Amino acid sequence: MKYTKLSQTEDLMPTLGLGTWQASSDVIESIVYKALNLGYRHIDTAFNYNNEEAIGIAIKKWIDDGKGSRQDLFITTKLPHVGNRASDVKKFLELQLSRLQLDYLDLYLIHVPFAFHCDPKTLTPIVKHTGEYELDVETDHISIWKVMEECQKEGLIRNLGLSNFSENQIAKIIKTASFKPQVLQVELHAYFQQIPLRKFCEENDIIVTAYAPLGSPGAKDHFVNKYNYSPDKFPDLLGLPDIKEIADKYSKTPAQVLLRFLVQEKVVVIPKSTSENRIHENSNIYDFELTPAEVNRLRKLDRGEEGRIFNFLFWKGVDKHPEYPFDLQKINA
Ligand SMILES: NC(=O)c1ccc[n+]([C@@H]2O[C@H](COP(=O)([O-])OP(=O)(O)OC[C@H]3O[C@@H](n4cnc5c(N)ncnc54)[C@H](OP(=O)(O)O)[C@@H]3O)[C@@H](O)[C@H]2O)c1
């Protein structure tokens, strides 16, 4: 396993992690256990993935079975959109820690910069009869961040970060933070390489994690019939001739080339798979190196904003939130 060093704490974050979105509890428990046995040390989950309990069971079993210790692992989860207010941070964090059966998280991210009102019974967003989500427009990142810092001081979280935030939103937090964001998790793959945001993060000592590093092929089924999505928006990165040609040269698979490209670009990757063969395949990316010419060829696949898959418009009305992070004019251009 390879690691990157985080600012301020100097903690080591594995450059490859296991993504777990769309991985249901019944399958993810055994996959996380197998992934840890295979050498994965970094697991990415979120309140919204509804699988923290199963992941907690797998981690506990792996430690109880004497396979390794808690300190060997890097566990990330995220504050949900329904808990995106200072008064709720600790409540959600404690619930998530108890679901994961952990005393501390290695990394806690604010999942999205906007917020929905929360149904206290189900801990899900309140949706109006029109299908629109009830926005909590009072979102104040500075006060949320302060509570994140307090939780870190108490030892409940080791490292702090953001997800789906824009450059302006991150800059505002950096201005007042006593402990600065260390990690930004955003959509990032061959078609959407996030060049300006990565430059900004590098200048601010923020490690970038790529979600959907394979172009999220499973999202197509998930979003089918969802508001504001059409299947032709989804790229087939694994089928691209440029990727296949490079994969053949190294006797690797397209997925391995897509992941290798990103880690060579100093981006952390968290591919999701619930197949034992594919988690093995996705971890086997450190025994070959793309040439500078191949890296340049892959850089040219970037489509900028046009390559974005995740705009969150399936949450009807979300773009009316004052902290909606994306420029819709650029997305629809
Ligand atoms: N912060 C956020 O807002 C956010 C948003 C989205 C995702 N994420 C995180 O990022 C992780 C990764 O993103 P993602 O799950 O959307 O997309 P991804 O990792 O790019 O793609 C996952 C999909 O690719 C398939 N796959 C995995 N390995 C493969 C291989 N070697 N060959 C062919 N197909 C393969 C998986 O199917 P099988 O399972 O059947 O193998 C799954 O359908 C998520 O799981 C989650 O942890 C975060």
Side-chain angles (χ1 to χ4, degrees):
M1 189 49 67
K2 300 249 190 266
Y3 295 85
T4 186
K5 200 181 271 182
L6 298 180
S7 74
Q8 301 158 95
T9 56
E10 309 217 326
D11 275 7
L12 294 177
M13 177 180 190
T15 53
L16 168 78
L18 179 71
T20 66
W21 178 54
Q22 289 189 293
S24 61
S25 291
D26 50 332
V27 292
I28 198 63
E29 187 183 319
S30 69
I31 283 295
V32 166
Y33 189 86
K34 285 173 185 157
L36 295 175
N37 282 345
L38 274 174
Y40 281 79
R41 291 293 175 265
H42 171 184
I43 310 291
D44 181 82
T45 182
F47 183 85
N48 288 349
Y49 302 167
N50 293 314
N51 57 19
E52 289 171 315
E53 273 178 5
I55 292 172
I57 291 169
I59 293 170
K60 183 170 186 308
K61 180 168 163 38
W62 186 77
I63 295 171
D64 288 350
D65 288 352
K67 304 281 178 84
S69 66
R70 169 68 184 95
Q71 297 89 282
D72 301 333
L73 304 179
F74 192 97
I75 310 298
T76 304
T77 193
K78 311 179 190 99
L79 177 70
H81 44 33
V82 290
N84 229 357
R85 57 193 68 79
S87 57
D88 272 350
V89 173
K90 202 158 178 202
K91 180 179 99 183
F92 276 93
L93 172 62
E94 285 175 343
L95 176 60
Q96 292 174 273
L97 282 169
S98 79
R99 287 182 175 177
L100 285 160
Q101 302 190 52
L102 299 176
D103 304 328
Y104 70 90
L105 296 173
D106 295 276
L107 178 62
Y108 199 44
L109 306 173
I110 305 180
H111 200 152
V112 286
F114 45 82
F116 300 130
H117 284 299
C118 182
D119 178 334
K121 281 199 199 113
T122 57
L123 300 182
T124 55
I126 299 177
V127 182
K128 299 179 200 170
H129 67 277
T130 55
E132 284 195 71
Y133 281 62
E134 253 194 36
L135 306 178
D136 173 0
V137 294
E138 303 294 318
T139 311
D140 173 10
H141 297 151
I142 307 294
S143 66
I144 294 169
W145 193 257
K146 277 217 167 73
V147 184
M148 301 268 287
E149 289 176 337
E150 282 162 26
C151 293
Q152 190 210 29
K153 276 200 188 123
E154 283 177 45
L156 300 174
I157 315 167
R158 288 197 57 83
N159 302 288
L160 303 181
L162 303 167
S163 180
N164 298 301
F165 276 56
S166 69
E167 184 174 319
N168 283 343
Q169 290 170 325
I170 303 166
K172 259 197 201 163
I173 293 178
I174 290 177
K175 246 190 191 167
T176 58
S178 51
F179 189 89
K180 300 193 190 326
Q182 297 155 285
V183 174
L184 175 69
Q185 185 180 122
V186 284
E187 178 183 346
L188 206 167
H189 45 72
Y191 271 1
F192 187 35
Q193 298 185 24
Q194 297 271 24
I195 304 297
L197 197 51
R198 270 165 58 196
K199 184 166 176 285
F200 170 81
C201 285
E202 195 180 348
E203 289 162 0
N204 287 282
D205 272 337
I206 297 172
I207 298 293
V208 176
T209 300
Y211 76 66
L214 305 175
S216 200
K220 199 170 185 161
D221 299 330
H222 181 77
F223 291 137
V224 91
N225 299 328
K226 283 253 160 98
Y227 179 72
N228 256 326
Y229 269 87
S230 64
D232 56 355
K233 267 206 72 117
F234 290 86
D236 175 21
L237 300 185
L238 295 164
L240 287 179
D242 288 285
I243 305 289
K244 279 187 168 164
E245 196 185 307
I246 297 173
D248 286 347
K249 174 182 157 191
Y250 292 101
S251 301
K252 288 285 178 183
T253 65
Q256 288 167 329
V257 170
L258 289 168
L259 297 172
R260 175 71 209 186
F261 168 55
L262 296 181
V263 294
Q264 246 177 267
E265 295 279 67
K266 302 205 176 347
V267 170
V268 172
V269 291
I270 47 169
K272 172 264 175 185
S273 182
T274 43
S275 139
E276 193 172 351
N277 286 341
R278 287 192 286 274
I279 59 172
H280 187 251
E281 175 186 330
N282 294 346
S283 66
N284 213 345
I285 55 170
Y286 295 114
D287 59 351
F288 73 114
E289 185 166 351
L290 302 172
T291 65
E294 286 160 349
V295 168
N296 271 334
R297 186 172 170 194
L298 298 180
R299 282 179 181 164
K300 288 195 185 121
L301 294 174
D302 188 18
R303 296 177 167 190
E305 276 293 332
E306 266 182 52
R308 187 190 290 282
I309 306 166
F310 290 81
N311 56 27
F312 301 118
L313 295 179
F314 48 85
W315 287 319
K316 196 172 177 187
V318 68
D319 48 315
K320 296 195 190 104
H321 193 284
E323 296 291 356
Y324 179 75
F326 307 137
D327 184 340
L328 283 179
Q329 273 174 348
K330 279 192 194 157
I331 294 174
N332 298 328

